[in-house]
């Protein structure tokens, strides 16, 4: 919006409720108060993998969406930048943000050999330390 030759950014009051970007910002903010992860991968007595969802698992689909539309040509808010930087700086994951997509939590990422649930947990840990 432009008024009196000044440009102002207006954010709709429902912005936080409507977009995956806003929910990821909320996630990074919540990480400052909690060190809990999103998933716990376990094996049943018969050896089958099972997934225990924890508090931050609710952000997994938002993270998938945000990563799909990520473009290095844009500037992001500080919290969103923490989120993207946490993926880029997780050197043990070997992830390139330009091509990386989150799969289903119990699928194995071909480029790293990690389960996507573990990648997301690692991202949360890295973002937690970056947000603190």
């Amino acid at each position: 919006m432009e008024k009196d030759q000044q440009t102002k950014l207006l954010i709709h009051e429902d912005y936080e409720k409507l977009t995956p970007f806003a929910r990821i910002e909320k996630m990074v903010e919540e990480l400052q108060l909690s060190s809990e992860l999103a998933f716990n991968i376990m094996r049943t007595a018969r050896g089958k993998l099972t997934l225990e969802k924890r508090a931050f698992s609710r952000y997994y689909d938002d993270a998938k969406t945000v990563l799909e539309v990520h473009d290095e040509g844009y500037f992001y808010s500080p919290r969103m930048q923490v989120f993207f930087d946490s993926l880029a700086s997780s050197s043990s994951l070997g992830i390139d943000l330009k091509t990386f997509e989150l799969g289903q939590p119990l699928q194995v990422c071909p480029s790293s050999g990690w389960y996507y649930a573990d990648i997301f947990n690692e991202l949360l840990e890295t973002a937690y330390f970056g947000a603190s």
Side-chain angles (χ1 to χ4, degrees), residues 5 10 20 32 47 51 57-58 62 64 81 85 88 118 123:
Q5 297 179 343
L10 298 178
Q32 295 173 341
L51 192 67
S57 66
R58 69 182 178 269
D62 294 320
K64 284 176 72 165
Q81 199 57 53
D85 289 349
D118 288 332
L123 181 151

Side-chain angles (χ1 to χ4, degrees), residues 32-48:
Q32 295 173 341
L33 305 172
S34 171
S35 60
E36 186 169 331
L37 299 177
F39 301 105
N40 184 24
I41 298 175
M42 303 175 295
R43 291 207 178 267
T44 64
R46 297 179 187 230
K48 182 180 175 188

Side-chain angles (χ1 to χ4, degrees), residues 78-107:
R79 287 190 180 127
M80 284 306 304
Q81 199 57 53
V82 165
F83 173 76
F84 292 126
D85 289 349
S86 67
L87 256 179
S89 68
S90 295
S91 58
S92 59
L93 300 177
I95 290 174
D96 179 2
L97 278 176
K98 294 175 189 165
T99 59
F100 181 73
E101 292 182 19
L102 280 171
Q104 294 302 312
L106 284 178
Q107 286 180 318

Side-chain angles (χ1 to χ4, degrees), residues 11-93:
I11 299 176
H12 192 276
E13 63 187 43
D14 287 335
Y15 174 78
E16 183 176 344
K17 298 175 191 169
L18 299 176
T19 69
F21 279 90
R23 288 189 292 269
I24 293 298
E25 287 212 21
K26 181 79 170 156
M27 177 191 79
V28 173
E29 180 182 342
E30 289 177 10
L31 281 171
Q32 295 173 341
L33 305 172
S34 171
S35 60
E36 186 169 331
L37 299 177
F39 301 105
N40 184 24
I41 298 175
M42 303 175 295
R43 291 207 178 267
T44 64
R46 297 179 187 230
K48 182 180 175 188
L49 284 180
T50 186
L51 192 67
E52 175 189 28
K53 293 182 178 182
R54 295 185 173 176
F56 286 96
S57 66
R58 69 182 178 269
Y59 295 111
Y60 191 81
D61 288 335
D62 294 320
K64 284 176 72 165
T65 301
V66 165
L67 287 169
E68 288 170 8
V69 298
H70 173 263
D71 186 334
E72 292 180 4
Y74 292 102
F75 292 100
Y76 295 98
S77 71
R79 287 190 180 127
M80 284 306 304
Q81 199 57 53
V82 165
F83 173 76
F84 292 126
D85 289 349
S86 67
L87 256 179
S89 68
S90 295
S91 58
S92 59
L93 300 177

